[in-house]
Amino acid sequence: MGMGFRGTVTDAPDFDASADAETLYNAMKGIGSDKEAILDLVTGRSNAQRQEIVQAYKSSYGKNLIDDLKYELTGKFERLIVSLMRPQAYHDAKEIHDAIKGAGTDEKCLIEVLASRNNQQIHNLVEAYKDAYGSDIEEDVTGDTSGHFKKMLVVLLQGTRDEPGVVHADLVEEDAQALFAAGEEQWGTEESIFIMLLGNRSVSHLQMVFDKYQEIAEKPIEDSIKSELSGDFERLMLAVVQCIRSVPMYFAKRLYKSMKGLGTQDNTLIRIMICRSEIDMLDIRECFRMRYEKSLYNMIKEDTSGDYKRTLLALCGGDDDLAGEFFPEAAQLAYKMWETSAMTKVQLRPTIRPASDFDPADDAQNLRKAMKGFGTDEDVIINIVANRSNAQRQEIRQAFKSILGRDLMKDLKSELSKNLERLIIGLMLTPAEFDAKMMRKAMEGAGTDEHSLIEILVTRSNEEIHAMNAAYRAGYKKSMEEAIQSDTSGRFSQILTSLVQGAREQGPADWDRALVDAQELADACNEGSDEMEIKFMSILCTRSFPHLRRVFQEFVRCSNKDIEQIIKKEMSGDVKQVMYGIVQSVKNQSNYFAERLYKAMKGMGTDDRALIRIMVSRSEIDLFNIRKEFKETHDCSLHEFIQGDTSGDYRKTLLMLCGGQD
């Protein structure tokens, strides 16, 4: 990036290794140690200076400083301080050694280290490994891995990638075509092409290749890798691609994953904070803030404790409160991200498809048998309902009435209970009836479930909204618009009223108008909050999604800010939530749903209504895409989450809707 030094830890001025050695010696002498003195000193020196302190300590006291620290300190704090004392290449070597020597291999560690280091760092790592363990790193890694995964690791261990800036202009298009042909165009992927090109071409060259690839395939290369490759090899290639696009963004994602979800992955957290503190921690912080609504500093603060926390925060440097402009790196990434979003043609994939040998009369009879007499055969009900498309379920409802003169919905309600009943009934309703019911549930009784109202209205097409309006009126004898207006107020109510019209423009982006819209939004940010909300509403609630992608892309250029951050910082309450929902939905709808599912299941208790709503309403549209996004963001599959968070027949049905295990 050529932006000078971007780390947070630098050489201390007026450095005196012997004096520091004495400070550490005194901090450890006697009973108990002065941990604060130790962490202040260690994080206040660069790695090169720490090596001099180790030497001075040995000269003054005839002892090994690292051994003394290990003896005096404990737990994660000890691991962190001791790791800071090692030369970086030796720390990398130890991480790789631990990753392959224990029981089982820590593939994620191998992937992170080898995909993100530059040639010089790889060469230093290879030498340090040989020196520390007396064996050859390549032999150890290949002895513990297999297949294409192993081959790519070997390529990365050579450290022979073209240096940054080396671009073979005549080969950019050819390389992109070769990757496209190797993956998308043929039966069986030609993995060796991916390995050769992604392992040897320079970062600058590959960035151009990826742009070209996007034009040819109409989707980013990551999407092709996800659909063509699998397992550790897929994870490794995705990491390589992410590092080529932006190393700081790659680490921001890894840090986020290390702290959210179940328990903290301290090894990952320690490894990244140490390794990047003298390289690009400022860029990582910036990317982190852009992507995750909060600063890295605050995330560490919430997720760790004690001296361990204080040390990590010292390495992190400052707290990037949500204010502020972007650094150039982040503004470029935000711009690029919207551009990718605008160019990608997403192929929506359902998880539930129509059953082939479908006989509605037969299904109706079997359902009746399952419910007749004493007890209910839930398995039969689940197997029929979850394995039919919605259109087929409507035929079953009709057949049930025509043949048996009974109302299937009433029978199901009397035979099933709780979440299973809600889920099965949800599947049996038409999509419009189901949406109307969910809107009704969100508004009836005390308190309004604003999140549900927002989620439904920002993700449905005009046609779906019109059908839902009709179903609402038929089912509840009043219009949805009236219901919304009596249940919500102020600007929030106006925004929902606008959305419930189902009058959003359709069609592609109009470039000239997008520039005007972007400038108007940027100007509105300097107005009072009322004017700003009105202007945002007039554009975000009316323009087509493809058009808004271009507007948000240009907004970065006009304001040097990302639209999401502006909304978070300048707006509040329900207005903020609905505006943010629109932006998320425009940016990547599958990811928006994946995040809603994650929130429904993480933490104490499960928001079953949200879980049912999304699994039912997306199963025939894009639940497959949502699953993939879930896995990508949370390092854990949707299947595993549902498995761990629900039980019984309810769980069984949800897993059938979910489809695969990823």
Side-chain angles (χ1 to χ4, degrees):
M1 285 173 298
M3 284 167 48
F5 180 71
R6 303 292 292 149
T8 46
V9 172
T10 49
D11 283 335
D14 311 324
F15 170 64
D16 178 343
S18 304
D20 283 351
E22 189 177 350
T23 305
L24 288 173
Y25 183 77
N26 291 330
M28 291 189 282
K29 135 176 135 192
I31 307 222
S33 47
D34 182 349
K35 298 191 182 60
E36 206 150 334
I38 295 174
L39 78 86
D40 285 345
L41 191 143
V42 172
T43 57
R45 307 290 180 271
S46 67
N47 192 282
Q49 290 175 331
R50 291 181 211 129
Q51 303 318 312
E52 292 184 49
I53 298 172
V54 170
Q55 201 44 59
Y57 193 88
K58 196 165 263 180
S59 306
S60 301
Y61 306 105
K63 298 169 74 174
N64 182 319
L65 174 56
I66 288 191
D67 289 346
D68 283 3
L69 287 166
K70 280 185 182 165
Y71 180 76
E72 287 291 333
L73 309 174
T74 55
K76 298 180 242 188
F77 179 56
E78 175 218 325
R79 230 185 309 166
L80 178 52
I81 294 291
V82 167
S83 301
L84 280 163
M85 297 307 300
R86 285 195 193 97
Q88 182 55 50
Y90 283 81
H91 183 62
D92 279 352
K94 181 174 182 344
E95 290 291 296
I96 297 283
H97 188 257
D98 292 351
I100 46 188
K101 282 307 169 211
T105 309
D106 178 355
E107 290 85 5
K108 285 180 184 159
C109 170
L110 292 180
I111 290 172
E112 180 200 297
V113 174
L114 297 180
S116 64
R117 304 301 191 253
N118 62 29
N119 289 349
Q120 191 52 55
Q121 289 168 321
I122 292 278
H123 297 314
N124 297 347
L125 158 63
V126 172
E127 281 171 43
Y129 192 94
K130 185 113 197 143
D131 181 47
Y133 304 107
S135 63
D136 179 68
I137 190 170
E138 191 182 310
E139 280 174 27
D140 288 357
V141 167
T142 51
D144 215 58
T145 54
S146 61
H148 298 300
F149 179 54
K150 172 172 85 174
K151 288 181 209 140
M152 186 63 181
L153 291 174
V154 170
V155 169
L156 294 172
L157 276 169
Q158 304 315 301
T160 50
R161 182 183 293 289
D162 292 343
E163 287 302 332
V166 177
V167 173
H168 308 286
D170 49 329
L171 290 179
V172 169
E173 174 129 14
E174 198 179 305
D175 286 351
Q177 288 289 2
L179 286 169
F180 182 66
E184 291 289 328
E185 283 197 316
Q186 58 178 0
W187 287 97
T189 308
E190 195 40 72
E191 285 90 351
S192 57
I193 305 276
F194 277 84
I195 292 174
M196 193 271 290
L197 292 174
L198 294 182
N200 290 285
R201 299 280 196 257
S202 77
V203 169
S204 348
H205 179 85
L206 284 169
Q207 285 173 343
M208 293 166 74
V209 170
F210 295 166
D211 285 347
K212 200 63 174 162
Y213 186 93
Q214 171 104 26
E215 280 172 37
I216 300 169
E218 296 189 320
K219 60 177 164 185
I221 189 157
E222 288 90 331
D223 287 9
S224 299
I225 289 174
K226 283 180 214 166
S227 60
E228 301 296 323
L229 312 177
S230 63
D232 291 323
F233 182 52
E234 172 192 0
R235 273 194 281 273
L236 174 58
M237 294 313 248
L238 281 175
V240 169
V241 169
Q242 286 174 351
C243 288
I244 283 158
R245 290 203 189 272
S246 163
V247 169
M249 181 56 96
Y250 171 71
F251 281 119
K253 288 181 183 168
R254 293 281 302 151
L255 282 167
Y256 183 70
K257 285 180 185 172
S258 77
M259 289 183 279
K260 79 179 286 217
L262 311 162
T264 302
Q265 296 159 9
D266 292 292
N267 281 349
T268 304
L269 184 53
I270 291 173
R271 185 170 59 235
I272 298 175
M273 295 304 289
I274 290 178
C275 166
R276 310 317 290 188
S277 59
E278 294 186 40
I279 305 176
D280 53 7
M281 185 59 71
L282 292 177
D283 292 322
I284 292 172
R285 272 166 40 185
E286 194 52 35
C287 292
F288 194 95
R289 192 183 74 181
M290 176 178 100
R291 196 176 165 95
Y292 302 112
E293 326 177 17
K294 64 159 71 170
S295 64
L296 176 59
Y297 189 92
N298 277 324
M299 187 111 181
I300 292 173
K301 204 162 137 188
E302 287 166 21
D303 210 69
T304 56
S305 60
D307 296 312
Y308 176 56
K309 167 167 89 176
R310 283 215 287 281
T311 313
L312 288 169
L313 291 177
L315 296 175
C316 175
D319 177 10
D320 311 290
D321 175 48
L322 285 177
E325 310 278 317
F326 278 154
F327 292 131
E329 163 88 350
Q332 251 169 327
L333 280 170
Y335 188 81
K336 195 93 187 135
M337 181 187 69
W338 282 113
E339 186 175 52
T340 302
S341 165
M343 287 171 64
T344 303
K345 283 207 171 44
V346 181
Q347 290 163 310
L348 297 183
R349 291 175 57 182
T351 54
I352 296 288
R353 295 196 162 77
S356 39
D357 309 325
F358 173 60
D359 179 349
D362 201 32
D363 283 348
Q365 299 280 16
N366 286 328
L367 284 170
R368 174 71 185 128
K369 248 184 261 163
M371 295 188 280
K372 201 167 155 180
F374 218 64
T376 308
D377 188 342
E378 282 89 0
D379 278 352
V380 170
I381 298 176
I382 294 168
N383 281 321
I384 292 177
V385 175
N387 288 308
R388 305 291 181 268
S389 67
N390 192 278
Q392 291 176 331
R393 293 181 208 126
Q394 301 318 313
E395 290 188 53
I396 298 172
R397 266 169 87 176
Q398 185 55 58
F400 203 82
K401 200 162 260 179
S402 305
I403 298 167
L404 303 162
R406 300 178 68 96
D407 182 338
L408 176 56
M409 300 308 245
K410 282 207 179 88
D411 283 5
L412 286 167
K413 279 180 190 159
S414 71
E415 293 294 327
L416 305 173
S417 65
K418 303 203 179 100
N419 285 325
L420 179 63
E421 176 196 338
R422 288 187 201 117
L423 179 54
I424 294 290
I425 294 293
L427 288 165
M428 292 303 306
L429 292 167
T430 66
E433 289 169 337
F434 182 65
D435 278 346
K437 181 176 175 182
M438 291 291 111
M439 290 291 290
R440 173 79 170 186
K441 288 272 180 231
M443 293 186 282
E444 75 185 2
T448 305
D449 178 358
E450 292 85 4
H451 284 291
S452 303
L453 297 178
I454 293 171
E455 176 203 298
I456 294 170
L457 292 177
V458 303
T459 55
R460 302 303 191 257
S461 67
N462 289 350
E463 298 70 37
E464 288 168 328
I465 288 176
H466 297 156
M468 177 186 356
N469 275 320
Y472 196 96
R473 190 179 277 287
Y476 308 110
K477 309 298 174 255
K478 71 191 244 184
S479 77
M480 199 151 66
E481 183 180 321
E482 289 168 68
I484 285 170
Q485 287 171 353
S486 64
D487 209 62
T488 56
S489 61
R491 182 88 59 231
F492 180 55
S493 190
Q494 293 166 7
I495 295 171
L496 295 185
T497 300
S498 165
L499 294 173
V500 86
Q501 303 311 307
R504 189 179 284 287
E505 297 165 4
Q506 301 298 292
D510 170 339
W511 265 105
D512 297 338
R513 187 168 167 225
L515 294 173
V516 175
D517 285 346
Q519 193 56 57
E520 287 196 358
L521 289 174
D523 295 342
C525 295
N526 304 318
E527 307 273 345
S529 67
D530 261 7
E531 289 82 350
M532 178 176 169
E533 286 176 3
I534 290 169
K535 175 52 72 186
F536 268 62
M537 175 172 139
S538 73
I539 291 175
L540 271 63
C541 295
T542 59
R543 309 290 195 260
S544 74
F545 276 20
H547 182 78
L548 285 174
R549 287 184 193 112
R550 291 299 184 193
V551 173
F552 298 156
Q553 179 187 341
E554 288 308 316
F555 180 82
V556 177
R557 195 169 281 183
C558 296
S559 67
N560 204 27
K561 295 183 175 72
D562 188 52
I563 193 95
E564 290 180 55
Q565 281 189 317
I566 289 292
I567 290 171
K568 292 223 181 68
K569 185 166 172 275
E570 302 293 339
M571 298 183 178
S572 61
D574 296 329
V575 173
K576 170 169 93 175
Q577 294 298 338
V578 67
M579 289 295 185
Y580 187 65
I582 293 174
V583 173
Q584 289 288 328
S585 195
V586 167
K587 180 168 149 189
N588 180 341
Q589 203 165 61
S590 308
N591 187 267
Y592 172 66
F593 280 121
E595 284 310 287
R596 301 277 306 140
L597 282 168
Y598 179 77
K599 287 197 174 94
M601 289 183 281
K602 85 176 238 278
M604 303 302 292
T606 304
D607 178 351
D608 289 295
R609 188 185 288 168
L611 184 53
I612 291 171
R613 183 176 61 243
I614 298 172
M615 297 298 287
V616 169
S617 65
R618 309 317 294 179
S619 56
E620 287 184 60
I621 304 175
D622 54 3
L623 190 50
F624 182 85
N625 309 70
I626 294 169
R627 249 170 50 195
K628 291 292 174 205
E629 290 289 341
F630 193 97
K631 174 85 177 184
E632 161 91 345
T633 314
H634 302 288
D635 259 356
C636 176
S637 70
L638 178 56
H639 193 281
E640 287 168 70
F641 245 75
I642 293 172
Q643 183 89 38
D645 217 62
T646 57
S647 61
D649 289 323
Y650 173 52
R651 169 165 76 187
K652 186 172 161 184
T653 316
L654 286 170
L655 291 177
M656 287 170 78
L657 295 177
C658 176
Q661 300 191 14
D662 301 313

